[in-house]
């Protein structure tokens, strides 16, 4: 699962850490929920489907704008496409945001957002939301990656488990 | 393949598909707004010099019912696959001959009776000429056709243009080495992008 990454690219280091969030939190008993991702995928693929239907209508009616039926279908599909794309954009910006992991353990919901403040600084900022309680932490990426370019999963997961365990105790 | 990997691949597929779908939908939006099946065209020849040069991008508008002499139009006929950009030199507004009215007119002419339902729809017949050409476009029209039909043949009236920007399209279409160089450049930039 772990792959060698370019230690000089903060973005690559961040992406590798994001990939290991799920196995790290599964050690605490959290099961990853894909609901947000699935909704975003469905809306996105609906947009692609509308564009496909536009293409099909163009081929069927030979792109004849004198045909009132073709013009009507195209107008409806264009409105639906841009409407759903706007919803897709809003969903990504205000609902998903920078959420990289959503985990569920019983009645508890854990949401983890990650980001880099700068592409030149290898500092991994984590915002952990446990049932409304938010904690912001940072991990120096140089400490969780080996010189060979592979992630040290034990160190990484221990840091994450420490953050969440502390929040669970305080909750 | 587990659920996470599948979603990751679907996400990557969506990222590529949405770009293509958005470009296509934007084109269709422009078609709907201008009511033209080709709202942007590239000038391929020098027949409209000095007004338009080869490589200019023209923006079309097709919502006007009738056009005027002097308007620059883009038209396409069954004998010419490539759209042609020329100026209107003559136009006539005539009653539109529908199949229903033709059939009725034939019936009534036999009985020498006037039909109480006359066709009120009008259409426009247009003759065009390139500014840089010696004669009008009659040789370019299909055999037996002396005028262009406003509804069937005209793609739109030119409302604006960008000079020389369309030369890239001409190079991609006409020069295969340029096409491969563009594709190679796009592939190399995708490889070197951060994300």
């Amino acid at each position: 699962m772990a792959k060698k990454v370019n230690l000089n690219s903060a973005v690559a280091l961040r992406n590798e850490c994001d990939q290991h969030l799920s196995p790290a939190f599964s050690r605490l008993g959290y099961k990853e929920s894909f609901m947000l991702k699935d909704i975003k995928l469905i809306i996105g693929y609906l947009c692609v489907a509308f564009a496909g239907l536009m293409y099909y209508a163009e081929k069927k009616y030979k792109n004849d704008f004198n045909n009132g039926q073709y013009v009507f279908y195209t107008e409806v599909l264009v409105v639906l496409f841009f409407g759903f794309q706007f919803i897709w954009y809003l969903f990504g910006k205000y609902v998903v945001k920078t959420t990289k992991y959503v985990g569920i353990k019983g009645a508890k919901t854990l949401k983890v957002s990650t980001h880099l403040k700068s592409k030149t600084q290898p500092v991994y900022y984590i915002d952990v939301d446990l049932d409304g309680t938010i904690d912001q932490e940072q991990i120096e990426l140089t400490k969780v990656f080996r010189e060979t370019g592979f992630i040290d999963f034990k160190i990484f997961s221990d840091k994450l488990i420490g953050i969440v365990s502390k929040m669970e105790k305080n909750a | 393949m587990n659920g996470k990997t599948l979603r990751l691949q679907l996400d990557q597929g969506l990222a590529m598909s949405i770009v293509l779908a958005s470009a296509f939908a934007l084109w269709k939006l422009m078609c709907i707004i201008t009511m033209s099946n080709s709202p942007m065209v590239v000038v391929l020849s020098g027949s409209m010099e000095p007004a338009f040069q080869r490589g200019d991008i023209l923006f079309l508008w097709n919502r006007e019912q009738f056009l005027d002499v002097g308007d620059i139009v883009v038209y396409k006929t069954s004998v010419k696959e490539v759209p042609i950009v020329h100026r209107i030199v003559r136009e006539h507004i005539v009653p539109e001959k529908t199949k229903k009215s033709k059939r009725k007119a034939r019936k009534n002419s036999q009985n020498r009776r006037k039909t109480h339902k006359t066709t009120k729809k009008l259409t426009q017949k247009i003759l065009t000429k390139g500014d840089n050409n010696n004669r009008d476009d009659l040789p370019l029209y299909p055999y037996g056709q002396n005028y262009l039909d406003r509804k069937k043949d005209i793609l739109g009236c030119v409302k604006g243009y960008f000079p020389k920007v369309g030369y890239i399209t001409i190079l991609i279409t006409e020069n295969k080495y340029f096409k491969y160089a563009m594709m190679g450049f796009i592939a190399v930039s995708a490889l070197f992008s951060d994300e």
Side-chain angles (χ1 to χ4, degrees), chain A:
Chain A
M1 195 168 158
K3 64 176 194 282
K4 191 174 178 179
V5 290
N6 179 4
L7 292 172
N8 296 314
S9 169
V11 172
L13 297 175
R14 182 205 66 196
N15 289 342
E16 186 66 6
C17 288
D18 290 344
Q19 295 294 315
H20 286 83
L21 288 172
S22 178
F25 290 118
S26 66
R27 286 175 61 186
L28 274 175
Y30 284 94
K31 195 182 170 193
E32 190 171 7
S33 165
F34 296 105
M35 194 179 74
L36 289 180
K37 275 187 190 164
D38 287 347
I39 290 171
K40 202 172 174 210
L41 280 172
I42 288 168
I43 297 171
Y45 274 108
L46 270 174
C47 292
V48 175
F50 291 136
L53 283 171
M54 273 186 244
Y55 182 75
Y56 171 73
E58 184 184 298
K59 292 297 160 196
K60 188 180 173 189
Y61 292 97
K62 290 173 188 153
N63 209 15
D64 179 16
F65 270 74
N66 291 321
N67 186 329
Q69 206 174 24
Y70 170 61
V71 172
F72 174 70
Y73 290 150
T74 308
E75 281 171 352
V76 168
L77 288 169
V78 163
V79 167
L80 283 172
F81 177 89
F82 285 106
F84 272 79
Q85 197 170 40
F86 186 58
I87 294 168
W88 185 71
Y89 166 76
L90 290 175
F91 190 80
K93 193 171 167 80
Y94 296 109
V95 179
V96 176
K97 289 186 248 187
T98 50
T99 307
K100 298 287 167 56
Y101 174 84
V102 176
I104 294 171
K105 184 167 83 172
K108 287 184 199 168
T109 305
L110 176 74
K111 284 183 194 170
V112 177
S113 304
T114 68
H115 64 278
L116 295 170
K117 281 220 171 124
S118 159
K119 283 186 181 181
T120 52
Q121 276 186 326
V123 178
Y124 189 62
Y125 290 87
I126 306 176
D127 297 333
V128 181
D129 179 350
L130 181 65
D131 289 335
T133 312
I134 297 170
D135 187 23
Q136 288 174 327
E137 297 283 343
Q138 56 193 55
I139 297 174
E140 282 191 37
L141 290 168
T142 48
K143 292 187 177 160
V144 297
F145 280 86
R146 298 191 190 108
E147 282 173 10
T148 49
F150 288 93
I151 190 169
D152 191 326
F153 181 67
K154 194 174 182 314
I155 295 173
F156 180 66
S157 59
D158 285 346
K159 284 184 187 286
L160 292 175
I161 287 166
I163 295 166
V164 176
S165 301
K166 193 173 70 181
M167 289 177 77
E168 280 177 338
K169 274 182 196 165
N170 294 337

Side-chain angles (χ1 to χ4, degrees), chain A residues 38 45 58 66 70 85, chain B residues 7 10 14 22 28 37 151:
Chain A
D38 287 347
Y45 274 108
E58 184 184 298
N66 291 321
Y70 170 61
Q85 197 170 40
Chain B
R7 282 172 176 87
L10 283 172
L14 179 63
S22 299
K28 282 290 158 194
N37 61 18
K151 279 185 191 167

Side-chain angles (χ1 to χ4, degrees), chain B residues 38-43 52-53 56-60 72-74 85 158-162:
Chain B
S38 189
M40 277 183 2
V41 292
V42 177
V43 177
F52 299 120
Q53 315 292 326
D56 290 352
I57 284 190
L58 307 178
F59 299 100
L60 307 184
I72 300 171
V73 294
V74 177
V85 186
V158 177
K159 291 293 178 191
Y161 81 109
F162 261 158

Side-chain angles (χ1 to χ4, degrees), chain B residues 104-119:
Chain B
K104 268 197 176 160
R106 232 181 284 133
K107 250 190 188 173
N108 292 333
S109 70
Q110 285 170 7
N111 300 335
R112 291 194 176 270
R113 268 186 291 128
K114 261 191 188 175
T115 167
H116 62 273
K117 265 192 184 175
T118 51
T119 312

Side-chain angles (χ1 to χ4, degrees), chain B residues 100-139:
Chain B
K100 210 177 174 179
S101 68
K102 270 189 192 164
R103 227 181 289 137
K104 268 197 176 160
R106 232 181 284 133
K107 250 190 188 173
N108 292 333
S109 70
Q110 285 170 7
N111 300 335
R112 291 194 176 270
R113 268 186 291 128
K114 261 191 188 175
T115 167
H116 62 273
K117 265 192 184 175
T118 51
T119 312
K120 286 184 183 169
K121 275 187 181 173
L122 298 171
T123 188
Q124 192 176 30
K125 298 293 179 189
I126 289 166
L127 180 67
T128 55
K129 179 185 168 300
D131 288 354
N132 207 20
N133 291 348
N134 291 330
R135 63 155 301 174
D136 58 40
D137 289 349
L138 202 54

